[in-house]
Amino acid sequence: MKLRNRLTLLSTVTFGVVFFITSVIIYIAFYNSSERVFFNELKKTSLLAAFYYLEKDELTQFEHSTIRSEFRATIESSMVAVYNKNNQVEYGKLFTDSNITTDYLNRVRKQQKIQFQTDDYFYYGIYYPDNQGNFVVFVKASNADFLAQTHRLLLIMTFVLLAGLALIFILSRYLSHWAYRPIANVVQQINQIDDSNLGQAIAPPNTNDEVDELIKTYNKLFARLSETFLIQKNFINYVSHEFKTPLTAIAGNLEVFAQKDRTVDEYKKVAQDALGNIYKIEDLLSNLLLMSGLKNQKNTFELFRLDEVIWNIYEALTEKSAALNIPIKIDLQVLDSKLLEINGNETLLQLALFNLIENALKYSTDQAVEITLSAKDRCLCLEIKDYGKGISTADFPLIGQTFYRGKNVGRIPGSGIGISLSKIILEQHQIEFTMESTLNEGTVVQLIFPITPL
C-alpha cells in the first residue's frame, strides 16, 4: 500500500474510532441525564397526586382547586394509582397495570421511593403517610418522547459520523498529496541519478521537518559513496600503474636474464633488483591494507613521549637525509616534560609523523627541514616546515585524497597514500591538522594535540 493511501486510511480510521467512542459517551451521558430529568418530573407528579387525593380534607377549597388544576394539567388520572395498606387502589384510575406488583409496593414502603421503566412506560412510586392512613402513590408516563429524543440523537450522530468520515477522507487525501509532494520530488530526483552523477545532491525542500533532514542525510551519505567510488577508481588506476612498473621490470629482467647463462654477480644483481621491486609492491599492499581497516580499528592508547618518537624518526631518516643532502633540524621549545607525554597509539602516530616528515624531506630542495615542538595554551604544537616545491593552488584542495599526487612531483617516487593515511590516524587521535603551502617556496604542516589535563 502506498504511503498516501496508508496515511489517508489511517487518519480516516482514527477519526472514525475517536468519533465513535465520543458518540457512545455522549449518547450514554444524554440518555442517563434525560432519564434522570424524566424521573424527577415523575417524582414531582407523584407528590402533586398525593396532595390532590390525600390532602383534600386539610386544605381550603381554593387551595385544593389550585392543586387540582395543576394536577389535571400535568397528568391524567388514568396514569395515577394511590394504594392503601391492603394494596388496593383507593384513588386514581390505574387499576389494571400488571407492572405494579405487590413486590414493588412493599419495596416502596421499605425504601420510601422506587423507579423503574418498561418498554413503553416510566414508573415512579413514593410512600406517603397521612392522617387517613399510610399510602403508596404510583404514577407512570409514556416514554415515547424520551425514546424519540434518543433515537433522534442517535440518527444525528450517525449522520455526522458518516459525513465526518467522508470529509476526513477527502481532506486526508488532499493533505497526504500535499505532504507527499516533497517525497515524490525526492523520488523523481533519485530516479535521475546514475553512475555518472552519483555525487549529485538532491535539492532539499527547506521544510525544516523530517523529510528535509532525511534529504540532507541522504546527500551526506551519497557524498561519501561518491568519494568512495572516486577512491576506488583512483585505486584501480593507481594500482594498475604502480604495480605495472615493478612487475614489468621484474618480467623484463627475467626474460633477458633467461636468454643466456649469467655470472654470479649478474645473478645477484637481477635478484636484488627483483627483490627491491617485490619489496616495493609489498610495502604498497601493506599501506593499502592498513588504510582499509584503520577507520574501524579500535586502538589501545597508552602514554608515550612525543619527542622520543621524533628522534626515532630522525634516526630512521638519517640515511635518506644524507643521500638527499638535506639536513633535518629539530627545535625543542617545550620546557614542561609532562606536556610531551601523549596518550595514543605510539606505532600509528609514529607512522603518521614519519610520512609527513618524509614528504617534507622528499619534496625539499637544498634547505633543511625544520621540526619545531612548542607549547601554546597548554597544547602541544608540532610544526614541520620545508623549503621545497610547494603545492599549487589547483592541487592544494586535492592533497590528502588517497592516491592523489601533485602535478609538480616530477620523478620523485611516491604512492599518494602518505598524507591520507596520516590524516586518518591524526583524526583518530583528535589531533588538529593544518597545512599551508606556496608553490616553489615550501610547505608548513602544523599539528595541535589535545589539551593536556592539569
Side-chain angles (χ1 to χ4, degrees):
M1 183 182 293
K2 291 185 177 181
L3 182 60
R4 286 183 55 196
N5 297 335
R6 189 182 306 160
L7 291 174
T8 301
L9 179 61
L10 181 62
S11 59
T12 304
V13 171
T14 302
F15 169 80
V17 171
V18 172
F19 187 86
F20 177 78
I21 295 174
T22 305
S23 299
V24 170
I25 295 174
I26 293 174
Y27 181 81
I28 294 175
F30 175 81
Y31 187 94
N32 292 335
S33 176
S34 299
E35 187 181 57
R36 186 165 52 253
V37 170
F38 212 94
F39 278 122
N40 285 336
E41 292 298 322
L42 287 181
K43 179 181 179 180
K44 295 177 183 178
T45 304
S46 63
L47 290 172
L48 183 62
F51 269 77
Y52 174 73
Y53 286 113
L54 301 176
E55 300 295 338
K56 183 177 181 179
D57 57 334
E58 299 180 17
L59 298 174
T60 65
Q61 185 177 0
F62 175 75
E63 291 173 338
H64 188 264
S65 62
T66 303
I67 292 175
R68 180 177 58 190
S69 300
E70 186 176 350
F71 172 76
R72 289 179 177 177
T74 303
I75 192 170
E76 299 178 5
S77 60
S78 59
M79 296 296 186
V80 179
V82 180
Y83 293 86
N84 58 25
K85 63 180 180 179
N86 297 321
N87 294 337
Q88 295 177 348
V89 178
E90 191 161 328
Y91 301 103
K93 298 181 180 179
L94 192 60
F95 294 106
T96 58
D97 196 318
S98 58
N99 293 318
I100 304 176
T101 63
T102 303
D103 179 61
Y104 277 129
L105 293 171
N106 292 332
R107 287 170 60 185
V108 172
R109 292 187 179 97
K110 185 178 181 180
Q111 301 175 10
Q112 304 297 313
K113 62 181 179 179
I114 194 173
Q115 63 185 39
F116 63 92
Q117 61 176 303
T118 62
D119 293 339
D120 300 317
Y121 292 97
F122 286 103
Y123 290 84
Y124 197 91
I126 62 172
Y127 177 69
Y128 194 88
D130 189 63
N131 57 356
Q132 304 176 45
N134 297 326
F135 296 91
V136 173
V137 181
F138 256 105
V139 296
K140 75 173 184 178
S142 174
N143 61 1
D145 292 339
F146 173 80
L147 294 177
Q149 290 180 2
T150 56
H151 290 163
R152 192 179 303 115
L153 176 63
L154 186 61
L155 182 63
I156 291 174
M157 288 192 298
T158 302
F159 173 78
V160 172
L161 174 62
L162 296 177
L165 286 174
L167 181 62
I168 287 296
F169 180 83
I170 296 172
L171 289 177
S172 299
R173 192 72 179 170
Y174 171 76
L175 291 176
S176 62
H177 174 74
W178 177 78
Y180 185 75
R181 190 177 301 166
I183 300 178
N185 185 30
V186 171
V187 172
Q188 182 180 5
Q189 293 185 66
I190 291 177
N191 288 332
Q192 296 174 353
I193 296 177
D194 52 27
D195 55 352
S196 63
N197 59 347
L198 188 62
Q200 177 180 339
I202 295 177
N206 295 323
T207 53
N208 295 323
D209 56 10
E210 289 80 359
V211 176
D212 195 46
E213 184 178 353
L214 176 64
I215 293 174
K216 292 178 181 177
T217 305
Y218 169 88
N219 287 337
K220 292 179 182 177
L221 171 63
F222 271 79
R224 292 195 297 268
L225 288 177
S226 177
E227 182 181 354
T228 302
F229 286 137
L230 180 61
I231 291 174
Q232 289 180 349
K233 183 178 179 180
N234 291 339
F235 172 79
I236 294 172
N237 294 334
Y238 171 77
V239 169
S240 62
H241 178 268
E242 294 297 324
F243 279 26
K244 185 176 181 180
T245 301
L247 290 174
T248 300
I250 294 172
N253 287 337
L254 292 177
E255 287 176 1
V256 173
F257 194 73
Q259 291 179 359
K260 64 177 182 177
D261 293 336
R262 303 290 176 174
T263 64
V264 174
D265 292 338
E266 289 176 329
Y267 277 120
K268 288 182 178 181
K269 185 178 183 308
V270 171
Q272 289 175 353
D273 291 342
L275 193 60
N277 287 317
I278 291 173
Y279 285 157
K280 181 179 180 181
I281 295 174
E282 184 181 17
D283 183 61
L284 178 60
L285 287 174
S286 297
N287 285 333
L288 291 175
L289 290 173
L290 179 62
M291 286 191 65
S292 65
L294 191 58
K295 290 185 178 181
N296 299 322
Q297 181 178 343
K298 294 184 178 179
N299 300 308
T300 303
F301 286 7
E302 58 185 2
L303 285 176
F304 62 92
R305 286 179 62 100
L306 186 64
D307 55 338
E308 294 178 357
V309 172
I310 298 297
W311 287 114
N312 290 337
I313 296 173
Y314 175 81
E315 292 178 4
L317 291 174
T318 300
E319 185 176 343
K320 189 167 190 175
S321 173
L324 295 173
N325 197 24
I326 300 174
I328 299 176
K329 293 182 178 180
I330 299 177
D331 183 11
L332 183 59
Q333 301 177 359
V334 180
L335 300 178
D336 186 2
S337 60
K338 290 290 185 182
L339 195 60
L340 294 170
E341 293 183 351
I342 302 299
N343 186 31
N345 188 304
E346 182 176 359
T347 303
L348 291 179
L349 271 178
Q350 181 164 323
L351 174 61
L353 297 179
F354 181 90
N355 288 337
L356 296 176
I357 296 173
E358 186 187 33
N359 272 352
L361 193 63
K362 284 195 305 183
Y363 298 110
S364 191
T365 51
D366 54 354
Q367 298 188 52
V369 173
E370 299 174 359
I371 300 174
T372 305
L373 276 169
S374 59
K376 294 182 180 179
D377 299 327
R378 293 194 1 257
C379 290
L380 181 62
C381 180
L382 172 64
E383 184 178 275
I384 304 169
K385 185 175 184 180
D386 69 73
Y387 300 89
K389 293 178 173 292
I391 304 170
S392 67
T393 305
D395 286 337
F396 192 80
L398 303 176
I399 295 298
Q401 289 188 5
T402 309
F403 309 124
Y404 185 84
R405 302 189 72 203
K407 297 181 177 62
N408 63 336
V409 297
R411 295 182 175 274
I412 298 174
S415 61
I417 296 177
I419 294 181
S420 59
L421 180 59
S422 298
K423 289 178 69 174
I424 293 173
I425 297 173
L426 296 173
E427 183 179 347
Q428 281 190 338
H429 288 75
Q430 299 180 354
I431 298 172
E432 183 180 340
F433 173 90
T434 57
M435 176 186 289
E436 297 179 359
S437 185
T438 304
L439 188 63
N440 297 323
E441 292 185 12
T443 303
V444 179
V445 173
Q446 188 179 69
L447 307 180
I448 299 178
F449 292 77
I451 296 177
T452 303
L454 292 174

